[in-house]
Amino acid sequence: MGVLTEVNWALIAPLIVLQLILMVFALVNCVKQEETNGPKWMWILIIIFVNIVGPVLYFLMGRKNG
Amino acid sequence: MRNFIILFRKEMKEGARSGKWVWLPIVLMVIGISQPLTNFYMPQILEMAGNLPEGAVIEIPMPSGEEVLIGTLSQYGTIGTLLFVLAMMNVISHERQTGALAFVMMRPVSAFQYMASKYVAQLCILLISLAASYILTWYYTNILFDHVAWTLMLASLAVYSLWIVFLVAVTLFVGTLLRSSGGIAGVSVVFLSVISLLTTLLPKYMEWSPGNLRAEASNILLEGEWGSSATLVSLSTLALSVLFLGLAVYMFKKFERFGE
């Protein structure tokens, strides 16, 4: 566990914040959507559990209207 | 000109509505700053991930700031290119499928105005995302590694941006040829990778190739000067982009006349 405390979290924090923003933005967008390509709950799971790639996949393929 | 501005605004709105203005910059920024961070923490990552034998010593030389930026450029060249093409694949095909295209073209709008508005709008999104990501990466590199002059950073960014200029023209052109988004993305990516591959395989005959742009940008970072080959590559890339855009307008007119 010594390694984890060595890491300077101030450096990593922006990376995590960016990913969180992306995830939340995709989630809000997905929930607001009337219909998605495929079941909505599946997209929500993908957005939450697949890091970065999940939200991108949702924006590229999940939205009905492009 | 007024038509162009109206269409351009429409494209911008479309970009905001589809969330492209948010996800593309964020994903690029994540890709960008991952590079200096993984470079910086490489010893710790190896220690955690690898089950090295007891007492193994690995000396990893600390890369210079310039080398980190070059690594970032190569990330943009692979994952970035794929993302850019995917982000733009349904710019035309989507409007074609929904029939919105017919509505637009019923107005007195020329094919050139239509394509130009798409081209400029997409270019805006991609270039602003790329610049934001690259500048953030540069900031990180300055903190973690040694200082890279901002002039060098901007010069390499400018040269690399030409790759995007070329990429958007190619993808729009393919977009006028094919109907399915997947096909458009596939053909564009294959075409762009073939160009990059040929450039590395036949360096003698491909001096003009846009595939050299990344090498030129790296060169600027390392040597700190603008080589004569950079001028050649930049000019030929611009010429090729104009050519592809012209072809796109031509093909667009064609399928417009025959009603798809």
Side-chain angles (χ1 to χ4, degrees):
Chain A
M1 289 308 281
V3 179
L4 280 183
T5 47
E6 266 173 48
V7 172
N8 183 354
W9 287 101
L11 283 174
I12 317 276
L15 201 64
I16 299 171
V17 170
L18 280 176
Q19 294 186 19
L20 273 181
I21 295 175
L22 184 65
M23 192 176 98
V24 170
F25 180 74
L27 274 181
V28 170
N29 193 301
C30 181
V31 170
K32 273 189 182 168
Q33 216 58 213
E34 266 175 30
E35 227 184 318
T36 49
N37 275 337
K40 201 183 256 191
W41 58 268
M42 176 192 84
W43 281 115
I44 293 180
L45 288 183
I46 291 178
I47 291 170
I48 294 178
F49 288 108
V50 188
N51 207 359
I52 307 185
V53 181
V56 172
L57 277 181
Y58 163 69
F59 280 115
L60 288 176
M61 312 200 298
R63 294 164 45 92
K64 261 266 154 71
N65 48 357
Chain B
M1 196 61 201
R2 236 187 85 231
N3 276 342
F4 171 79
I5 291 172
I6 292 171
L7 283 171
F8 178 75
R9 283 224 188 101
K10 179 198 128 254
E11 282 304 310
M12 284 298 180
K13 246 186 215 154
E14 182 74 33
R17 215 172 49 85
S18 65
K20 209 185 275 178
W21 270 113
V22 176
W23 71 258
L24 200 59
I26 291 186
V27 172
L28 276 184
M29 279 181 203
V30 169
I31 293 173
I33 60 180
S34 300
Q35 185 70 20
L37 282 177
T38 44
N39 275 338
F40 187 72
Y41 284 118
M42 196 45 96
Q44 281 93 328
I45 291 171
L46 283 180
E47 196 179 314
M48 276 175 78
N51 27 3
L52 296 172
E54 200 63 34
V57 180
I58 303 178
E59 284 284 326
I60 303 170
M62 209 46 148
S64 70
E66 285 86 357
E67 280 163 357
V68 176
L69 283 186
I70 289 173
T72 313
L73 284 181
S74 107
Q75 295 289 334
Y76 293 150
T78 49
I79 314 174
T81 300
L82 185 67
L83 270 179
F84 290 144
V85 171
L86 285 176
M88 293 195 320
M89 65 186 178
N90 42 22
V91 167
I92 295 177
S93 71
H94 172 61
E95 285 192 353
R96 233 170 163 183
Q97 278 156 13
T98 54
L101 185 60
F103 276 110
V104 175
M105 297 316 286
M106 251 155 51
R107 314 258 151 75
V109 172
S110 74
F112 176 74
Q113 286 168 335
Y114 180 78
M115 288 309 274
S117 73
K118 293 238 176 252
Y119 185 72
V120 176
Q122 296 306 315
L123 206 58
C124 269
I125 299 183
L126 297 197
L127 286 184
I128 289 175
S129 311
L130 180 76
S133 163
Y134 197 57
I135 290 171
L136 194 66
T137 309
W138 172 70
Y139 172 76
Y140 258 80
T141 310
N142 277 347
I143 294 180
L144 295 177
F145 301 91
D146 36 342
H147 186 76
V148 180
W150 63 273
T151 45
L152 287 185
M153 183 273 291
L154 278 186
S156 61
L157 175 64
V159 171
Y160 195 74
S161 300
L162 289 173
W163 174 249
I164 311 290
V165 170
F166 178 65
L167 180 150
V168 178
V170 169
T171 315
L172 274 189
F173 169 61
V174 178
T176 58
L177 295 179
L178 302 173
R179 296 195 62 137
S180 79
S181 322
I184 294 168
V187 171
S188 312
V189 166
V190 167
F191 179 77
L192 291 167
S193 6
V194 165
I195 282 197
S196 305
L197 189 68
L198 283 181
T199 310
T200 40
L201 287 181
L202 310 164
K204 252 191 186 161
Y205 304 100
M206 301 290 278
E207 270 172 17
W208 48 270
S209 154
N212 280 324
L213 282 169
R214 184 153 57 87
E216 292 298 341
S218 314
N219 227 8
I220 288 176
L221 281 172
L222 284 179
E223 320 258 323
E225 55 186 43
W226 181 278
S228 61
S229 55
T231 315
L232 171 72
V233 174
S234 311
L235 287 179
S236 74
T237 305
L238 285 177
L240 280 173
S241 309
V242 171
L243 176 76
F244 272 108
L245 205 58
L247 279 175
V249 172
Y250 175 73
M251 291 307 297
F252 185 77
K253 266 187 191 153
K254 220 171 172 186
F255 81 62
E256 201 42 47
R257 199 179 314 138
F258 295 116
E260 314 242 331

